[in-house]
Amino acid sequence: MTFGPIPRHLLPDTASVVNKRLQIGGLDVIELAESFGTPLFVYDEEHLRRRCREAVAAFGDGVAYATKAFLSQAMARLAWEEGMSLDVATGGELHVALEAGVPASRLILHGNNKSVIELEAALTAGVGRVVVDSFDELDRIEQVVAAGFTAPKVLVRVNPGVEAHTHEYLQTGVADSKFGFGVASGDAAAAMARARTSPAMNLVGVHAHIGSQVFTVDSFRKAIGALAPFIAEHDLDEISVGGGLGVAYVTGETAPTITEWADTIKSACRSHGIEAKIMAEPGRAIVASAAVTLYTVGTVKDIDSIRTYLAVDGGMSDNPRPVLYDSGYEAFLPRAVNAERSRIVRVVGKHCEAGDVIVSEAAVPGDIAVGDILCTPVTGAYGHSMGSNYNMVLRPPVVFVDKGRARLVVRRETYDDLTRRDV
Ligand code: LLP
């Protein structure tokens, strides 16, 4: 069986084919691999900016980029420059966003277990919103504010009891979840009443995040239905539907656009008579297909009548998603973008682990060989951000490309970095 070339919609917006080879942002990616080495994350800056602008046009200035999907100072600045707020879920994400120069008022602090130190850092900086996740956090905010901090604006995170069609680990809106206050249990109503009356916080809205990599926008409609009574009862000004819009990773998949997603959400709010400001927190939909990963093929191992293993110079340390969620990816050769892909191989990494698989059944051109640069598209979300140092493999650099220029925004880790924290 032969598979066609890599589908265009899985590549970044500015991708083009020149002399059979892949260019992004007007630059030949094989030359980028030569200049910066592999593995390498290449982000199409124009693509990132377009998705941010689309989100702002669709939702208005209440839309926040979920930094967990991919964060560096350059990315934080880019999202903010394009008019987005930023969702930060830990003290670390908060720190990077502030270091990048994003005003604290544009930051929304998340997290199901915010520490006193994280809350103090957020209130010292003056974050725009805190999304409250638990009764213990309500206690902690009161404690921190009593110690002399200004009362924050808060949204209460409600767990709407909606089952989003996605991987079990990515579902967050079901009753059995560590996130938010359940509706069915009455916790959401109790939390809302408490936040409303507490002098340590100013309740402005309600929040729900039902899960990630969600294709059926109707799930969001259901979540809004669950939030509507709270908005009416407390006359709240803001409703945040979280993030979660899915993206296409492999041939045959298509996903709603950010605009389509926003339209569904806006129409659901209208039909429930909600006039509150609509906020959202897309992460993956902004960054996933903006980037590709480039690897060098190092070993091709044919096991007669079983399979061919193709080992590259990265692996689960730069893309843990296949191991964690059994996520599918495509692979292709940037030297032959339009080539038919007639050979099925298992693309694996260099980690000491049999499960270190990047693409379980990858269709690649028949003449693939050691030394080739191999490209996996749609790796802009939750690859770099969930990367690790397993086996002391160095984390790859990140390059932003735009209009014929390459800009290194995260350098490659060095062996010295590996011992820097040892004491
Ligand atoms: N808002 C909240 C409160 C979230 O928890 C998340 C993601 C987002 C927004 C952004 O969701 P997105 O638009 O990116 O789907 N590591 C997993 C994804 C975990 C998402 C966690 N929360 C993966 O690689 O698929």
Side-chain angles (χ1 to χ4, degrees):
M1 194 154 132
T2 279
F3 293 79
I6 188 76
R8 177 66 189 81
H9 74 285
L10 299 181
L11 299 178
D13 282 2
T14 73
S16 63
V17 181
V18 178
N19 296 331
K20 302 185 186 160
R21 290 163 59 126
L22 178 66
Q23 291 197 353
I24 303 175
L27 293 173
D28 184 285
V29 302
I30 295 174
E31 286 174 15
L32 288 171
E34 283 160 9
S35 310
F36 295 98
T38 57
L40 177 66
F41 286 104
V42 179
Y43 280 80
D44 178 355
E45 192 168 335
E46 179 62 28
H47 181 124
L48 292 171
R49 290 188 187 278
R50 281 186 201 164
R51 292 304 179 283
C52 292
R53 278 180 217 143
E54 182 184 355
V56 173
F59 286 103
D61 67 356
V63 68
Y65 167 60
T67 61
K68 70 206 79 181
F70 163 59
L71 182 58
S72 65
Q73 294 183 78
M75 182 62 212
R77 271 192 292 270
L78 184 152
W80 171 59
E81 279 164 13
E82 295 300 343
M84 296 189 83
S85 294
L86 270 64
D87 145 8
V88 292
T90 62
E93 290 178 355
L94 171 68
H95 174 78
V96 174
L98 290 173
E99 283 290 298
V102 178
S105 60
R106 304 288 290 161
L107 303 180
I108 301 168
L109 182 68
H110 269 281
N112 71 306
N113 185 21
K114 304 176 190 74
S115 68
V116 167
I117 290 173
E118 287 173 318
L119 287 167
E120 282 176 356
L123 300 199
T124 303
V127 295
R129 303 283 183 277
V130 175
V131 180
V132 184
D133 210 289
S134 69
F135 290 112
D136 287 319
E137 185 184 339
L138 286 165
D139 293 343
R140 278 198 282 270
I141 293 177
E142 288 179 343
Q143 178 193 332
V144 169
V145 170
F149 292 86
T150 312
K153 288 185 178 166
V154 303
L155 282 80
V156 168
R157 176 157 178 177
V158 168
N159 188 332
V162 171
E163 203 169 314
H165 296 280
T166 184
H167 191 286
E168 186 193 345
Y169 293 1
L170 306 183
Q171 273 186 355
T172 45
V174 290
D176 181 0
S177 165
K178 71 170 181 167
F179 297 105
F181 297 97
V183 173
S185 63
D187 285 350
M192 211 83 68
R194 184 162 158 203
R196 167 109 278 176
T197 51
S198 172
M201 60 199 85
N202 175 8
L203 176 68
V204 295
V206 62
H207 176 285
H209 171 79
I210 55 171
S212 197
Q213 183 60 0
V214 178
F215 284 121
T216 40
V217 285
D218 219 47
S219 306
F220 293 93
R221 210 180 266 285
K222 288 188 203 142
I224 290 162
L227 298 184
F230 297 107
I231 295 173
E233 184 185 341
H234 294 284
D235 193 21
L236 299 174
D237 293 332
E238 300 178 3
I239 174 173
S240 173
V241 296
L245 177 62
V247 304
Y249 280 91
V250 293
T251 307
E253 275 181 347
T254 52
T257 63
I258 293 171
T259 310
E260 287 162 350
W261 179 51
D263 286 346
T264 304
I265 289 164
K266 287 189 271 192
S267 103
C269 284
R270 265 196 306 276
S271 66
H272 284 97
I274 295 171
E275 286 171 9
K277 176 171 176 174
I278 301 170
M279 314 199 326
E281 297 157 351
R284 191 189 314 267
I286 301 286
V287 293
S289 53
V292 303
T293 307
L294 302 175
Y295 300 104
T296 302
V297 176
T299 303
V300 180
K301 174 179 172 179
D302 276 314
I303 309 177
D304 201 22
S305 52
I306 297 189
R307 73 172 77 249
T308 299
Y309 282 94
L310 199 120
V312 296
D313 50 356
M316 61 193 287
S317 56
D318 59 73
N319 187 0
R321 301 194 67 259
V323 181
L324 277 172
Y325 318 118
D326 207 13
S327 308
Y329 284 87
E330 298 273 353
F332 67 99
L333 291 176
R335 68 164 163 81
V337 183
N338 292 327
E340 294 291 306
R341 296 176 298 159
S342 59
R343 191 167 175 196
I344 302 297
V345 298
R346 176 161 292 178
V347 180
V348 296
K350 62 181 286 146
H351 295 276
C352 301
E353 184 137 340
D356 174 27
V357 173
I358 299 175
V359 190
S360 184
E361 305 268 305
V364 291
D367 66 346
I368 193 165
V370 168
D372 265 330
I373 300 296
L374 186 77
C375 181
T376 50
V378 204
T379 53
Y382 302 108
H384 181 269
S385 67
M386 293 203 300
S388 75
N389 271 132
Y390 184 35
N391 292 136
M392 294 287 162
V393 167
L394 302 177
R395 275 177 280 209
V398 177
V399 167
F400 279 14
V401 293
D402 187 35
K403 300 180 188 71
R405 257 193 67 231
R407 163 161 89 97
L408 185 67
V409 301
V410 180
R411 68 159 169 80
R412 186 179 302 283
E413 216 160 19
T414 63
Y415 285 142
D416 283 343
D417 289 330
L418 297 178
T419 50
R420 190 149 288 155
R421 290 177 304 135
D422 288 3
V423 288

